[in-house]
């Protein structure tokens, strides 16, 4: 991760990665055929710690207590804060998303998982009479896209913390009004 973060994808070499990891280049190639496959593995491993808490936060049972806006805000804040981890690596991953179908598929699998969890939550809240949206899948897509894109643009654009905090508040308010 450090090699990609510091040097970017194009400038990072397998020799540099091996040297940094304290292994021989042959050992690295025994595990990964090229730096692209290594980056895919880094991506998958770096996304899990970010995605899991959000998916758990979308479990309907967690929403039975407390104010919906507070749940919304906590999740949006988690998504925005996750974007502050290794922003250089995240820039590379977004670049690969637009250039490499395998990266796009990996991203989309994560997005599908998040949207499915969100849609299930919205369906449950609607059954309980606590949510006003009728099409949970469409609402999940709109919410996910607006939160993700706003977070990515702010963090990848290196916005100051105050601007991120303000965006978390505004996005939370928007989503809360849309849903409730």
């Amino acid at each position: 991760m450090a090699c990609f973060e510091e040097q970017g994808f194009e400038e990072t070499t397998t020799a540099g990665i091996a040297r940094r990891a304290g292994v021989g280049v042959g050992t690295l190639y025994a595990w990964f055929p090229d730096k692209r496959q290594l980056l895919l593995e880094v991506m998958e491993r770096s996304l899990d710690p970010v995605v899991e808490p959000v998916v758990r936060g979308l479990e309907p049972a967690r929403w039975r207590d407390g104010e919906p806006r507070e749940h919304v805000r906590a999740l949006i804040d988690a998504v925005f804060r996750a974007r502050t981890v290794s922003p250089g690596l995240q820039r590379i991953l977004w670049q690969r998303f637009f250039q490499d179908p395998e990266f796009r598929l990996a991203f989309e699998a994560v997005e599908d998982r998040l949207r499915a969890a969100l849609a299930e939550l919205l369906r449950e809240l609607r059954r309980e009479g606590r949510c006003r949206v009728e099409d949970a899948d469409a609402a999940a897509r709109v919410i996910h896209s607006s939160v993700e894109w706003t977070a990515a643009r702010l963090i990848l654009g290196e916005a100051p913390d105050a601007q991120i905090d303000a965006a978390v508040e505004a996005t939370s308010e928007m989503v809360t009004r849309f849903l409730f």
Side-chain angles (χ1 to χ4, degrees):
M1 282 179 65
C3 290
F4 289 122
E5 179 85 22
E6 293 166 7
Q7 300 167 15
F9 182 77
E10 300 302 329
E11 299 301 318
T12 298
T13 64
T14 51
I17 293 169
R19 187 172 37 259
R20 184 89 172 243
V23 299
V25 174
T27 302
L28 183 68
Y29 280 121
W31 290 94
F32 303 100
D34 55 29
K35 69 181 180 182
R36 181 183 161 280
Q37 282 302 129
L38 177 59
L39 183 60
L40 274 166
E41 179 72 22
V42 166
M43 180 182 119
E44 289 178 16
R45 288 183 184 220
S46 66
L47 286 177
D48 278 346
V50 173
V51 171
E52 283 307 313
V54 174
V55 169
R56 281 193 307 274
L58 292 168
E59 292 172 0
R62 293 177 178 257
W63 287 64
R64 293 216 163 68
D65 296 322
E67 288 295 315
R69 186 185 192 296
E70 292 308 312
H71 291 291
V72 168
R73 191 198 183 292
L75 287 170
I76 290 174
D77 189 63
V79 170
F80 277 55
R81 298 300 162 200
R83 286 285 181 199
T84 65
V85 177
S86 301
L89 180 61
Q90 290 189 44
R91 281 186 199 90
I92 292 168
L93 293 174
W94 274 110
Q95 177 188 32
R96 303 311 307 165
F97 172 89
F98 291 107
Q99 295 176 340
D100 187 323
E102 197 169 352
F103 279 84
R104 188 172 312 111
L105 287 173
F107 268 106
E108 288 172 351
V110 170
E111 290 174 340
D112 289 346
R113 187 167 168 229
L114 288 167
R115 279 194 307 268
L118 178 55
E120 180 55 35
L121 169 65
L122 298 178
R123 279 190 281 280
E124 181 63 26
L125 292 174
R126 178 140 176 98
R127 278 191 289 274
E128 295 172 0
R130 298 174 58 204
C131 178
R132 66 186 184 102
V133 298
E134 292 185 27
D135 187 336
D137 293 316
R141 182 168 294 281
V142 167
I143 292 166
H144 175 268
S145 294
S146 50
V147 170
E148 180 62 31
W149 191 245
T150 302
R153 292 293 301 236
L154 283 170
I155 304 308
L156 299 179
E158 299 180 11
D161 284 346
Q163 197 173 16
I164 294 168
D165 291 340
V168 167
E169 285 303 318
T171 306
S172 299
E173 184 67 21
M174 177 186 72
V175 171
T176 300
R177 287 176 184 241
F178 173 60
L179 295 175
F180 308 106

